[in-house]
Amino acid sequence: MPLFVVPTPIGNLEDITLRAINVLRKVDVIACEDTRKTAILLQRYHIHVPTVSYYAHNEQRRTEQLLERLRRGEKVALVSDAGTPGISDPGSILIQAAISEGFEIDILPGATAFVPALIHSGFETHPFTFYGFLPDKKGERRETLENLQFHPFPLIFYLSPHKAQKHMADILEILGNRRAALVREISKIYQEARRANLDAILSQAEAEGVRGELVLVVDKPLQQVLDDGQWKKEAEQMVTNGISQKEVVKFIIQRYPVAKNAVKDWLIQVRQKIDR
């Protein structure tokens, strides 16, 4: 019997396909990230199927139990709290294990947050890069962002509300002050999209706070600006006029979509040229 991977609504409970409802009704067990949250959905659609928890801290142990049920010929469905399992949610371990044992995998299409967020941004929608959640550890997060610094496509990040401000601060510092859209509570009553440069979005978040499920879409770097050296000329002129490096860096990253470290590296070269 196959393993069914079933997307669930990310907001409005009506955002579920007829096929998903039918699959959930006919399986023998539903593995879910939080049985209490899934119970709300099941009650809405009168689905009376046993559930078991399947989340980050029991994923390894529960995978073997679910594989055993598949071996016995049972039909197993995998869901997450919202969206598609395996996309920044538990699920990939079970899916990989089931594939390695030769079980059929049936992935249903359905809700996910990053596609509506990208369209909400108003940026070019093809191509783009979905990253998901950045690392929690600051060093790993900054290294990740440095590797993405010159990535040529729009970038999509998931943000946790209580970490959003410090993560956006790192994104601003390393990727530069690009256009961005902070989209929250997709498909819910308080859905909104804040569209502005990163510094303005961060300032608003610091002043007002942010709540709910958050998706940050960061536009691609303005390649023309990065190529023609416009910001370099302006930075060099400011240094020549005696403005401190700190103030030059602050001004340039607010005015142009260029990373803080790139400005610092350029100013070192300018200083060496001046000192000769």
Side-chain angles (χ1 to χ4, degrees), residues 134 141-142 145 157-178 180-183 194 197-207 209-211 214-218:
L134 286 163
R141 182 169 64 252
R142 293 177 67 86
L145 290 169
F157 302 100
Y158 285 166
L159 299 176
S160 299
H162 61 288
K163 302 174 185 175
Q165 292 179 27
K166 64 180 180 182
H167 283 210
M168 283 195 289
D170 283 342
I171 292 170
L172 171 61
E173 179 179 343
I174 296 173
L175 297 188
N177 193 24
R178 304 185 193 179
L182 182 64
V183 186
R194 302 178 183 179
N197 284 348
L198 273 167
D199 62 345
I201 292 175
L202 177 59
S203 295
Q204 185 178 5
E206 290 173 340
V210 284
R211 297 179 181 179
L214 305 170
V215 185
L216 180 68
V217 185
V218 179

Side-chain angles (χ1 to χ4, degrees), residues 87-88 114 128-136 140-141 143-145 147-148 151 154-158 167 171 215-216:
I87 302 296
S88 295
F114 65 83
F128 68 90
T129 296
F130 168 70
Y131 185 87
F133 289 104
L134 286 163
D136 285 335
E140 294 179 7
R141 182 169 64 252
E143 182 179 0
T144 296
L145 290 169
N147 290 333
L148 294 171
H151 189 74
L155 295 162
I156 304 175
F157 302 100
Y158 285 166
H167 283 210
I171 292 170
V215 185
L216 180 68

Side-chain angles (χ1 to χ4, degrees), residues 46 83 169 196 198 208 252:
H46 309 290
L198 273 167
E208 302 175 5
I252 294 297

